[in-house]
Amino acid sequence: MSVAAQTPIAFAKPQSGLPDLHITIRKLESLGDLSAEERNAFLDLLEKPQRFAAGSDIVADGSLPTESTALISGFACRYKLFSGGRRQIMSLQFGGDITDIHSYVLKKMDHAVGALTDCVIARMPHDKVRKATERFPNLAYIMWRDTLVESAIFRLWLAGVGRKSALSRGAHFFCEQFMRMEAVGLTNGNSATLGVTQTDISDCLGLSLVHTNRVLQELRGMRLIELKSKTLTITDWAELNASASLILRTSNSGARKK
Amino acid sequence: MSVAAQTPIAFAKPQSGLPDLHITIRKLESLGDLSAEERNAFLDLLEKPQRFAAGSDIVADGSLPTESTALISGFACRYKLFSGGRRQIMSLQFGGDITDIHSYVLKKMDHAVGALTDCVIARMPHDKVRKATERFPNLAYIMWRDTLVESAIFRLWLAGVGRKSALSRGAHFFCEQFMRMEAVGLTNGNSATLGVTQTDISDCLGLSLVHTNRVLQELRGMRLIELKSKTLTITDWAELNASASLILRTSNSGARKK
DNA sequence: CGGTTGTTTGACGCAGTTCAAGCGGAGTGG
DNA sequence: CCACTCCGCTTGAACTGCGTCAAACAACCG
């Protein structure tokens, strides 16, 4: 994850095998309505797709990008690396996610974006973004919305890591990923391809790998999910949801009882 | 914290004892430059200040506010309440903070904002916000920046709760609050008034009250901070900072060692 | 000065971590 | 087609940071 193994393949060849850029539009339209003009303006922002190898950084921590990035296919994550190699993943990203509008507004990255699987991305130069949002304020508004939704997800994760049991967090994680993937058409019935390892999941949940494995086994044992060879199936949505909000972890938190 | 004890005092009397609304401008200007026109336009958004009693909700979880809120004085927090009375605080807020531009963009609150001490707030009706941001796009841009900075803070907290020891988290917490308060002029040398209880801090850190108390004692014992009767003094800034990034908690996280 | 809210201390328990080792599948080279 | 090697998954056993329980103390306030 430390070495950027960027592979800016020149896609002279036709779109063969290349995922559809329109997944970004599906994502934006899940946040608000777009006119045909706005759709085209957004697609015009996207430059020629590039491939990134699993394990490489798409955006480095501390960098000052001059472009934002849309993820077209594959799985990436926002993460922060600590001394001793400890990693906390702050969000999972997949097709349609814009991985760093932040850099357009905040300039400097306070975390890295890494490819968990092989990824295809499309860059969006900041100056083109500025022009487009000036011409179509609604685009800026929808991107703002996007960052706020992500912010809400951070709050949920924070609350979970802070106050929920490992099992609840796991249940929540699968609910969330499945719903987000469904919104951009990456699911198939009750199943979806979740191309991440248990190691990655443990860094999402703030758990050790060993304990994450045990949580997964418990969720499987409860017949709430199936997860093998990267295929996630939600077996019992209602119960999974219920487990996600259960707080098994005890804590004499200070919230006033009254 | 559950019952809204709003006290919309009619401030017919002069501003006597009322804190200065300009603290909101200091906050915004810490994020970007404002023209005199923009400053005035923003101040015009603010309605007559209201008082909220400690323990009451300024914005309720799940509500659909038609106004955003600027905190003028006092301490508030974003929080989420779980079954069994467990609470996770997602951020501390004080003078100058805009507690819910979210509601302007996202409509529905996914968390509550509660007053930890007596507070004075000023509402900003959404329709006035819309007009002002249409007229002054830079205002919208700066508010977007504000939400993104907050988002970055959420990520830091998440990483801390997920992967750092209790002591590190505590050290980080005091660093962050002090720096943020300094940015709006709420500090006095190395000291600041932090009007929150240890119970509140424990819900920020995702720790139990008892353990939070022990962390505080350790930080005091290390001569990094002093904290009594609501006055926080940073005794050794460099060491406090160093402790904040130390990861004492062990974890066989999956981040690739290589 | 009594009631209420916030802080501190001690003893004990457990959820989750660490250490260590074995297993299976997928590639890769001979 | 087998041998070798990663890499990811699983399991067991011991350990510990932090939570829970319980109780006393301190500070504030009308």
Side-chain angles (χ1 to χ4, degrees), chain B residues 11 15 53 71-72 74 104 118 127 139 194 210 215 248 250:
Chain B
F11 280 109
Q15 304 279 78
L71 187 53
I72 308 301
Y104 170 55
D118 289 348
D127 52 348
L139 269 185
L194 193 64
V210 172
V215 165
L248 300 171
T250 52

Side-chain angles (χ1 to χ4, degrees), chain B residues 32 110 144 199 205 220 231 253:
Chain B
D110 62 281
W144 188 4
T199 294
L205 302 181
R220 284 192 278 237
T231 299
S253 143

Side-chain angles (χ1 to χ4, degrees), chain A residues 11 17-19 21 49-52 70-74 118-122:
Chain A
F11 280 110
L18 257 197
L21 295 183
Q50 302 177 335
R51 284 183 201 284
F52 275 78
L71 186 53
I72 309 300
S73 75
D118 291 346
C119 286
V120 175
I121 61 122

